[in-house]
Structures are given as structure tokens and as C-alpha cells.
Amino acid sequence: MQITSGIFQVGGPYESDSADAAVYLIISGGDAALVDAGTGSGTKRILKNIRDTGTDPRTVRYLFLTHCHYDHAGGANRMRSETGCRIVAHELDAEFLESGDSEVTAAAWYRAFMEPTKVDIKVAGSEAVFTVGSLNIHFYHAPGHSPGSSVLTLRSDGRLVLFGQDVHGPLNDALRSERKDYVKSLGFMLSLEPDILCEGHFGVYIGKDKVKEFIESFL
Ligand SMILES: [Zn+2]
Ligand SMILES: [Zn+2]
């Protein structure tokens, strides 16, 4: 599914595997990046979907993990070996990815194990900027759902696109969720006034009002 001229959905329950959260492909000037990787069961289908957009998977420079949960990050190792990309995550979730913590990554909820996954670039603090082609991709720490949950923004076709994969939560002690941080992060996302929201489980929201309404519904 094409979202803007440079953004496609290439993975998700209908696109790659029933347990996969959404996987988004960003392309610009012969360079590419992925937002999340699914569980790993659908990696082959994700790679096919990437090729179907006319993109060589070997041009994927970064795999941005919005957080450590299995439905978003379980396929990260496989995706890196297939594409040669570098895995990016916030340092506060990187520890659970690297140790393969099946509880905090929620892999146990899927009756699966989290494969220990080395994080190549650990984002510290509140913000980092990455370049893909001519795009500046902002990576913001937006904790609450998990300690290292993060969101990404970029401008595509003149519109501000927010990748907020688990805007909807849930909050759960086993996932080390923090309600206070979560509410603050929702407020931060609203302050960005995005034109498009690419969510991990609820699809794509287009239009400032629709995005605002969706985010506010969780406050
Ligand atoms: Zn999650
Ligand atoms: Zn999720």
C-alpha cells in the first residue's frame, strides 16, 4: 500500500504475517529505511513487497525499531542479514532486545522467544536525526508503552508524517509500561500536529483532524 510518494506499507497482518505489526518502507534518492520488522515469520513476504515497490532491499540503510516488542522487532535479525541494514533503537529498549528478554518484549504473549538482537545504533536522550536520501528522519523518545518506545517523523510530499506504532498502548506491568510517561508522550505527539499517522495496528490516518482525534481518544 502506498501512503505518499516515498512511503509504503510493506508488512502487517494482511501483508506479511497475522502476528506482524505494520512495517513501513521509506524511500528517497536510491536510499531506503524500514520502520519495524514484524515477528520474522513474514520476512520473505516483506522482502517481496519491498521489491514490488521497485526498491532493492539491499538499499535499506536503517531499520528503525519503534520499541522492543516481538510483533515489531522479532524479525529484526533476519531483516538485517537479508538487507545489510543497521538496526536503530532507543537505548532503554535496546537492553531487552540484546538480552532476548521474552517477557519484556512480549514474545511470551505470542508463545515465542525473542532472539537476542544486537542494536547497531542506540539512541540516547530525547532525539536523534538520521538522513535517508534527501530526507531528515527525526527519531523521538516517546516512552510509556515501553521504556524506550519512540516515534519518528519526516516530511513527505509536503506533509508531516508521524510513525507512532503503538500510540494505542496497551499499558502493562510486564512490559514495564508507565502511565505518566505515556500521557506525556501522547501530548508530545499532538504538539507535532502531524498530517499523517502511520500506526502499528490501527492503520493509517490521513488529515490533521483525524490524527488528532485518534491520539486524543487514548488520553
Ligand atoms: Zn508494543
Ligand atoms: Zn504492537
Side-chain angles (χ1 to χ4, degrees):
M1 184 177 74
Q2 183 157 19
I3 298 153
T4 69
S5 61
I7 301 173
F8 297 81
Q9 185 176 353
V10 291
Y14 304 107
E15 295 80 5
S16 49
D17 185 83
S18 59
D20 284 358
V23 178
Y24 295 101
L25 172 71
I26 300 162
I27 52 176
S28 174
D31 240 359
L34 287 169
V35 179
D36 287 339
T39 59
S41 304
T43 303
K44 274 212 173 98
R45 290 184 65 189
I46 295 170
L47 291 165
K48 183 190 177 295
N49 293 338
I50 293 172
R51 281 189 216 99
D52 285 350
T53 71
T55 305
D56 180 343
R58 286 169 304 182
T59 64
V60 177
R61 179 194 290 261
Y62 299 113
L63 164 56
F64 297 109
L65 295 178
T66 58
H67 61 300
C68 66
H69 295 164
Y70 179 71
D71 50 329
H72 301 258
N77 262 338
R78 265 189 89 182
M79 193 57 77
R80 176 170 47 200
S81 46
E82 295 282 351
T83 64
C85 69
R86 300 176 81 194
I87 295 175
V88 182
H90 195 273
E91 63 175 1
L92 294 178
D93 269 24
E95 67 172 283
F96 307 116
L97 291 162
E98 295 199 324
S99 64
D101 186 321
S102 292
E103 292 298 324
V104 180
T105 64
W109 292 6
Y110 295 86
R111 296 167 198 271
F113 294 97
M114 186 71 199
E115 199 180 320
T117 301
K118 189 183 172 307
V119 176
D120 302 302
I121 301 172
K122 291 171 195 151
V123 175
S126 59
E127 187 187 348
V129 183
F130 296 87
T131 305
V132 171
S134 62
L135 300 173
N136 284 329
I137 301 180
H138 292 257
F139 185 109
Y140 297 105
H141 185 210
H145 174 54
S146 73
S149 276
S150 298
V151 299
L152 296 122
T153 65
L154 60 86
R155 279 205 170 271
S156 185
D157 300 340
R159 289 178 290 179
L160 186 70
V161 183
L162 170 68
F163 297 90
Q165 294 288 71
D166 277 1
V167 165
H168 64 281
L171 304 181
N172 187 292
D173 285 343
L175 308 180
R176 316 240 176 134
S177 303
E178 284 289 349
R179 182 170 300 275
K180 228 173 86 190
D181 292 343
Y182 175 70
V183 171
K184 207 171 144 198
S185 293
L186 291 179
F188 169 69
M189 285 184 251
L190 285 170
S191 75
L192 296 171
E193 297 188 17
D195 299 295
I196 298 176
L197 168 66
C198 296
E199 225 268 355
H201 301 270
F202 285 82
V204 178
Y205 291 79
I206 297 177
K208 270 192 193 343
D209 290 347
K210 286 211 172 103
V211 174
K212 186 167 176 262
E213 192 186 336
F214 179 78
I215 298 173
E216 279 181 345
S217 72
F218 297 99
L219 272 173

